[in-house]
Amino acid sequence: MRLSRNWLLALPLAALLAGSPAQAAGTLTIAQAQDPNNWDPIATFLISWGSVAGNFFEGLVIRDESLKLQPGLATSWEVLEGGKRLRFHLRQGVTFHDGEPFNAEAVKFTIDRLLGPEGKKGPQQSNYTTIGSVEIVDAATVDIVMKQPDPVMLTKLAGYGAMMVPPKYVTEKGSAAFALAPVGTGPFKVVDYQPKVSVTLEPYAGYWGVKPKLDKVVYRFIVEPDTQLAELQAGRIDIASNLSVAATGIVSKSADLKLESITGPTVVVVRLNTAHGVTTDVRVRKAMIMAVDRDAIVKQILMGQAETVTSFQSSLSFGFDPKQAAVPFDPAGAKKLLAEAKVPAGTAVALDFPSNNTTFREVAQAMAGYMSAVGLKVAVRPSEQNVYTNDIVPNGKTGEMFQFGWGGWTFDYDNTAYLMYHTGEHWNPYDKDATLDGMLDAQRLIADPKQREAKLQDIAHYVADHALEIPMYNLNTIYGLNKRVKGFVPPPDNRIRLQTTTVE
Amino acid sequence: MARRFRSLEFILGAALTLLVVVLALLTPWLFPDGGEAMDLSARLIAPGLNWAHPLGTDPIGRDLLARVVVGARVSLTVGVVSVAGGMVMGTLAGLFAGFYRGIWDMVLMRWADVQLALPFILVAITFTAILGADEWKMIGFMAITQWVQYARLIRSSVLTLREREFVQAAEAIGVRNIAILFRHILPNAIGPVVVLMTLNIANNILLESSLTFLGAGIDPMIPSWGGMLSDGRSYLQTAWWVGVFPGLAIMLTVLGLNLLGDWLRDFLDPNAKATS
């Protein structure tokens, strides 16, 4: 059966066949924009990976929909030696989808692989460098020995690079094969993966926890938000996970559909070029922030499907300061600052952004409109997305302003601030500030959460005082649902969990 | 002669083209703000509801009528200048290749073959991804890729013309080559080129729209029809007018130019109609 179906799917028609038939009872079809291409936990940093792979991979700890840590493959854990040693008591009787047992060896294999040469090839290793080694105490107990205390490590063990992988399967098949046919311990197993088309999951009968009620889950990769909407309206998908803001009105008015909108992990800012052009002057940067009515943009263009931010983090983030005030919209003040900085009216500046972001395309034009009102002539420059993320931003080829969205799935400000502002970081082409570097390094060594939170808040204030960016908004994740889907809880971290979900 | 001008093709084609040209020339007076004035509180107003915005407004509250009309300027500039550039390059190359033959002909024509073998949109997207895009780069790129069409057309005419008696007569009495080329051959070969130009202006307007629609074209702040179509795509179900009016503008302009080109072909070569 399996063989013949695979053979059938190899036909060119398969792309159509896979998506079009009416759904059998208990089959849930989800559309998402991006295919992560590689299911290996150590080889990805994409949100689109987490929204699928969270269903078939698990870590020692699990983070639930309210972002609280819960026991996962470890039933309990202890923080020993002042945070230098984390001891995990492993769940017994857990097996991987291929039947391999999960035990202390698997934990050691996973972490060693992450920190070893295989992990070095991927982007995940850098998140876990505070781990020194893994020591097996007995078959049911492992210690993670830290080089230094890392307050975020427990959260990091709940996702991405620290997802447990089966030692025998990975060793025998090799990483390249594992990346296309992943095996984990999660409630679902992968039965079929067609790159750029779909990935199909079925419940794993040997799962240790709450068994899923669905018979099958199909994720279809549909790039265009408008196509997702059309498929949702036609009933060919049950959940559209990347609707455009413009589609919200249509979905909420439809009798068969409903809208679920929740604070998302992605915060969007417009970063300012502190190395070249007029934006090297802090007064100009401040004027740019004051010139743009961000409340109006969120209310009108984003139809309230976002929340303005005061720093590069959402209100759910560790390091968020509720007392930090937004810079008010003040075109007159902006004009005054620009005059002080001797920036003549009509000065040309450029705003770069990736061309596939249709929402930001509107926001960018609105920003340009606001800035022209204070005398800055903005060229709005869309670039092809791959060129944008791989060349223009990291190599510092942007204009005075550039859009940047970052989703720290750990919801810890360190994960954003360090990568954005620390000298020499990949995503930081311009800022070089020894004071800021010092603050960023210092907070990583603080074990006490209260003190570290205060330090992170200081960093956010410092960044705002120096106007390194125009804080824009925290965009909601907008799900469009067919009403026959029951028990779907929209997750704030985009990691869709489907154990309680059913389809009528 | 007068009867030729009474054809429906000519009247409709000329009227549409003239309308677009006149509007494009008048924009600085009609819409001094260049269609850039925005008002977030007046976004997506439907056409006919507000006399200040007869065609409605776009997603950031800019007047669509102003943007569609100002967009004509961008489209026509791109269309006309790129075609003129391609025509000049192609005509020169075609004249020399056809008249002197030999190694020049070989090199130019094989080069043309290579250029014709490359899919245009792919090359265009690669080009803009590397060099970035603005109006003038796009114009330059279109001219550079399209000279081939004119060169081939001219060359084939020159090949037959240079054997004709009047050219040989000119040669016999010692007229210089340059004079033969531009005084005797070019005027006789230019007819089909003019027709191709009108069709290519229409093509290039579409091309500009496609590239801008794909995000590889003109700054979204500058009203261009392709960019406006792109803006309107997500609103087709909720606010059709954002995409439909620029789409109509493209359609009418291209229709006008095509009709005119068709008519011009019949006008310059009445036999073509009977034989083709």
Side-chain angles (χ1 to χ4, degrees):
Chain A
M1 177 64 205
R2 203 191 150 120
L3 226 179
S4 70
R5 193 192 41 212
N6 282 346
W7 183 82
L8 182 72
L9 284 172
L11 292 167
L13 259 179
L16 295 171
L17 288 175
S20 52
Q23 278 113 356
T27 296
L28 180 77
T29 309
I30 302 173
Q32 81 170 28
Q34 194 177 26
D35 175 2
N37 290 328
N38 184 330
W39 297 107
D40 192 333
I42 61 177
T44 187
F45 59 95
L46 299 171
I47 285 174
S48 62
W49 181 91
S51 60
V52 183
N55 290 301
F56 50 82
F57 282 123
E58 287 175 316
L60 292 171
V61 288
I62 288 176
R63 195 170 58 170
D64 63 18
E65 283 100 333
S66 52
L67 305 180
K68 295 265 184 315
L69 289 180
Q70 304 288 353
L73 294 175
T75 50
S76 62
W77 54 89
E78 300 162 68
V79 180
L80 304 172
E81 298 168 20
K84 299 258 297 182
R85 184 179 285 269
L86 306 171
R87 175 161 293 174
F88 293 91
H89 301 285
L90 305 182
R91 196 176 291 278
Q92 294 301 291
V94 175
T95 51
F96 287 99
H97 302 149
D98 64 339
E100 235 179 281
F102 166 76
N103 51 28
E105 287 293 340
V107 179
K108 183 163 172 56
F109 176 83
T110 299
I111 305 288
D112 285 352
R113 181 168 178 269
L114 167 65
L115 299 176
E118 196 60 46
K120 199 171 178 55
K121 293 181 207 156
Q124 279 299 317
Q125 194 182 64
S126 61
N127 283 333
Y128 297 89
T129 46
T130 50
I131 298 179
S133 62
V134 177
E135 287 174 8
I136 298 178
V137 180
D138 57 51
T141 317
V142 281
D143 283 357
I144 292 183
V145 183
M146 306 293 293
K147 286 185 201 150
Q148 66 191 51
D150 181 348
V152 200
M153 186 47 69
L154 267 177
T155 307
K156 287 180 181 171
L157 290 176
Y160 286 80
M163 293 299 210
M164 290 299 143
V165 300
K168 197 161 143 263
Y169 183 84
V170 173
T171 318
E172 277 173 11
K173 304 263 171 168
S175 290
F178 178 64
L180 298 176
V183 165
T185 61
F188 289 90
K189 61 182 180 187
V190 176
V191 292
D192 182 61
Y193 171 50
Q194 304 287 324
K196 304 276 175 227
V197 179
S198 67
V199 56
T200 306
L201 315 181
E202 277 172 15
Y204 172 46
Y207 184 59
W208 58 268
V210 180
K211 292 200 176 63
K213 301 185 179 89
L214 294 164
D215 300 327
K216 196 193 257 185
V217 178
V218 182
Y219 281 86
R220 286 176 57 199
F221 305 118
I222 302 176
V223 179
E224 286 284 326
D226 301 323
T227 314
Q228 287 198 10
L229 174 66
E231 290 289 278
L232 185 70
Q233 288 174 316
R236 283 192 293 264
I237 57 173
D238 301 304
I239 300 177
S241 57
N242 305 85
L243 287 183
S244 65
V245 172
T248 53
I250 306 168
V251 172
S252 51
K253 273 187 213 125
S254 159
D256 305 324
L257 310 176
K258 68 175 171 183
L259 204 67
E260 291 273 11
S261 172
I262 185 163
T263 311
T266 305
V267 176
V268 175
V269 304
V270 170
R271 298 171 70 187
L272 300 172
N273 185 336
T274 53
H276 312 108
V278 290
T279 40
T280 48
D281 188 327
V282 67
R283 288 171 298 190
V284 177
R285 302 202 296 267
K286 284 194 169 145
M288 284 174 157
I289 302 177
M290 290 155 81
V292 178
D293 188 350
R294 286 158 289 155
D295 288 317
I297 287 177
V298 164
K299 201 168 140 240
Q300 302 291 348
I301 298 183
L302 306 175
M303 297 178 181
Q305 297 290 346
E307 202 174 88
T308 51
V309 292
T310 51
S311 62
F312 204 157
Q313 59 186 329
S314 75
S315 53
L316 295 175
S317 161
F318 185 79
F320 170 75
D321 182 358
K323 292 193 290 292
Q324 188 168 2
V327 178
F329 171 53
D330 178 8
K335 266 189 186 160
K336 222 173 106 217
L337 275 177
L338 288 173
E340 269 175 39
K342 301 207 166 45
V343 173
T347 298
V349 290
L351 167 58
D352 286 282
F353 69 101
S355 59
N356 66 336
N357 192 333
T358 50
T359 306
F360 193 80
R361 187 186 157 89
E362 283 171 25
V363 173
Q365 297 185 56
M367 289 180 75
Y370 280 119
M371 289 195 182
S372 77
V374 301
L376 291 171
K377 180 145 182 47
V378 182
V380 176
R381 294 199 304 217
S383 302
E384 203 276 319
Q385 191 214 343
N386 279 314
V387 180
Y388 187 77
T389 46
N390 296 322
D391 181 36
I392 293 177
V393 174
N395 296 332
K397 296 180 181 172
T398 71
E400 284 76 5
M401 301 179 269
F402 59 108
Q403 183 263 12
F404 209 77
W406 197 251
W409 69 272
T410 52
F411 288 90
D412 190 292
Y413 185 45
D414 167 67
N415 192 22
T416 303
Y418 199 91
L419 301 178
M420 298 301 134
Y421 315 126
H422 197 284
T423 306
E425 280 293 323
H426 181 71
W427 297 116
N428 175 18
Y430 304 121
D431 303 331
K432 288 190 181 70
D433 183 335
T435 319
L436 193 51
D437 287 351
M439 292 165 90
L440 288 163
D441 288 326
Q443 59 81 24
R444 286 201 161 180
L445 300 173
I446 303 173
D448 178 57
K450 274 268 167 293
Q451 280 179 26
R452 201 172 75 86
E453 187 172 27
K455 194 81 186 170
L456 285 173
Q457 290 173 347
D458 286 349
I459 292 170
H461 282 279
Y462 185 91
V463 170
D465 290 343
H466 290 77
L468 298 184
E469 72 215 359
I470 306 176
M472 296 299 292
Y473 46 80
N474 175 203
L475 203 56
N476 283 7
T477 308
I478 305 165
Y479 293 99
L481 260 66
N482 194 306
K483 279 185 179 158
R484 65 179 175 232
V485 178
K486 305 282 174 199
F488 174 77
V489 184
D493 57 359
N494 278 25
R495 285 160 75 178
I496 299 172
R497 296 151 178 88
L498 296 167
Q499 275 151 284
T500 55
T501 309
T502 55
V503 182
E504 277 173 4
Chain B
M1 198 70 179
R3 187 183 270 175
R4 292 233 179 100
F5 290 100
R6 241 179 278 148
S7 82
L8 188 64
E9 267 184 339
F10 174 74
I11 294 169
L12 209 60
L16 283 172
T17 312
L18 204 68
L19 179 74
V20 176
V21 172
V22 168
L23 278 178
L25 290 176
L26 288 181
T27 45
W29 293 277
L30 287 175
F31 302 103
D33 66 3
E36 286 184 16
M38 72 170 199
D39 176 6
L40 281 189
S41 60
R43 68 193 296 264
L44 298 177
I45 294 177
L49 293 184
N50 181 338
W51 283 116
H53 308 292
L55 298 187
T57 57
D58 76 354
I60 63 171
R62 293 176 297 203
D63 183 44
L64 265 181
L65 177 65
R67 288 180 74 74
V68 168
V69 173
V70 176
R73 192 198 61 81
V74 174
S75 291
L76 283 186
T77 311
V78 170
V80 172
V81 179
S82 66
V83 162
M87 191 273 285
V88 170
M89 281 193 288
T91 304
L92 289 177
L95 279 177
F96 281 101
F99 191 75
Y100 291 104
R101 306 294 310 268
I103 186 80
W104 283 110
D105 187 30
M106 238 270 289
V107 171
L108 280 168
M109 286 306 115
R110 290 304 81 72
W111 183 5
D113 288 342
V114 170
Q115 263 194 265
L116 279 176
L118 295 169
F120 179 81
I121 282 276
L122 190 71
V123 180
I125 290 173
T126 318
F127 178 87
T128 47
I130 296 168
L131 290 184
D134 63 35
E135 211 172 322
W136 293 102
K137 279 183 193 150
M138 197 167 1
I139 288 171
F141 183 63
M142 286 177 185
I144 288 168
T145 47
Q146 288 171 353
W147 69 270
V148 175
Q149 301 173 20
Y150 302 99
R152 291 201 144 190
L153 204 59
I154 287 273
R155 175 181 169 272
S156 60
S157 307
V158 173
L159 283 183
T160 51
L161 285 171
R162 73 194 285 269
E163 307 301 333
R164 294 272 292 274
E165 293 81 357
F166 68 94
V167 173
Q168 290 183 346
E171 262 174 2
I173 59 168
V175 179
R176 283 178 307 138
N177 281 346
I178 291 289
I180 294 178
L181 268 178
F182 288 96
R183 186 118 14 104
H184 300 287
I185 294 183
L186 185 61
N188 287 295
I190 203 75
V193 170
V194 174
V195 175
L196 182 65
M197 279 173 73
T198 55
L199 299 180
N200 265 353
I201 291 175
N203 260 339
N204 287 1
I205 288 175
L206 284 179
L207 216 52
E208 178 272 318
S209 301
S210 330
L211 284 176
T212 307
F213 176 78
L214 290 172
I218 287 170
D219 184 337
M221 288 307 282
I222 300 171
S224 78
W225 292 336
M228 294 164 77
L229 266 186
S230 189
D231 282 339
R233 182 169 45 148
S234 347
Y235 292 93
L236 276 182
Q237 288 193 39
T238 45
W240 53 269
W241 55 93
V242 183
V244 165
F245 289 122
L248 271 178
I250 295 175
M251 197 196 84
L252 292 177
T253 310
V254 172
L255 180 70
L257 284 164
N258 271 325
L259 286 175
L260 208 58
D262 242 20
W263 172 82
L264 205 57
R265 186 177 61 196
D266 298 344
F267 180 78
L268 292 172
D269 183 8
N271 294 329
K273 200 167 197 175
T275 52
S276 66

